[in-house]
Amino acid sequence: MESKKLTAESAPVFQEGISLILTRWSALTAAVENEWGGRDSLGKANAICTDVFSFFTEARAEPLYIDDLENLLEEGLLSLNTLVEDGSVEEVAEKLMIMHEECLEGNYQSVEKLRTTNPPPVAHVRPSNNEDEDDDDDEDDSMSADIAANMMVDVPNSQSSLNPVSMLTDEPKQNQSAEAEDGWVVVSSRKNKGRRN
């Protein structure tokens, strides 16, 4: 059985389709925007696009397997220090395989659809805390503090215009006024006062 190859016309369209799918993948975009892979996160994401295109265009005797593509995508995310367990790797791999088959047949509808539609809103992604990966102490601590400060609270859409900092400062005032209405008094800790055993 002779394997089909992308034509000179379909190859650039397929490459654009790969880019469109990967740039709409929330896990990949979050990793790039937050530089989880370091300063060259964008370069690493572009390398994933190139690797995926090479996966489909390399001359090989065996057929293309979706498992191999999933492994390639997972390795690419790992280069960005990102681990995805939401099933999106499988979903993206399936979309890429279907698009490849369509482009082999000269059908570019899925690429055209991606061109005309707006990218979906980016989901809130929380970086995982890996205590066993403490290689770069000073730089990672400041970066993880920045990421934690930016990603600390998932704000519902109805409150998205509110400032999370002002929300946090308002809460204690409400609690203090509620305590005063109830007649309770705040008592400080007695740890440093009194006897030591």
Side-chain angles (χ1 to χ4, degrees), residues 68-92:
D68 294 334
L69 180 56
E70 290 171 4
N71 290 337
L72 178 69
L73 293 171
E74 286 176 352
E75 289 171 11
L77 285 179
L78 285 176
S79 73
L80 292 164
N81 298 318
T82 305
L83 179 62
V84 178
E85 297 175 347
D86 61 355
S88 63
V89 171
E90 293 81 8
E91 183 181 340
V92 169

Side-chain angles (χ1 to χ4, degrees), residues 175-195:
N175 290 341
Q176 289 174 356
S177 63
E179 291 171 359
E181 291 172 9
D182 292 343
W184 292 92
V185 178
V186 178
V187 179
S188 62
S189 174
R190 293 173 47 167
K191 278 186 176 177
N192 293 332
K193 298 176 185 176
R195 294 182 268 175

Side-chain angles (χ1 to χ4, degrees), residues 91-160:
E91 183 181 340
V92 169
E94 183 179 0
K95 286 180 182 180
L96 290 169
M97 293 292 277
I98 291 169
M99 184 184 293
H100 180 251
E101 288 297 319
E102 290 174 353
C103 287
L104 286 174
E105 297 168 0
N107 177 2
Y108 309 123
Q109 287 180 347
S110 57
V111 178
E112 285 296 326
K113 184 178 177 183
L114 286 171
R115 284 179 188 156
T116 59
T117 59
N118 291 331
V122 177
H124 295 283
V125 179
R126 293 176 184 252
S128 62
N129 293 332
N130 295 331
E131 284 102 26
D132 56 310
E133 294 183 11
D134 290 329
D135 296 329
D136 302 324
D137 294 330
D138 297 322
E139 195 170 300
D140 285 347
D141 288 345
S142 64
M143 189 184 325
S144 63
D146 291 341
I147 292 171
N150 292 336
M151 299 174 64
M152 183 174 63
V153 179
D154 287 337
V155 179
N157 289 338
S158 62
Q159 297 178 358
S160 62

Side-chain angles (χ1 to χ4, degrees), residues 163-181:
N163 182 358
V165 175
S166 67
M167 289 172 46
L168 292 174
T169 57
D170 289 344
E171 289 177 11
K173 291 178 184 175
Q174 293 170 353
N175 290 341
Q176 289 174 356
S177 63
E179 291 171 359
E181 291 172 9

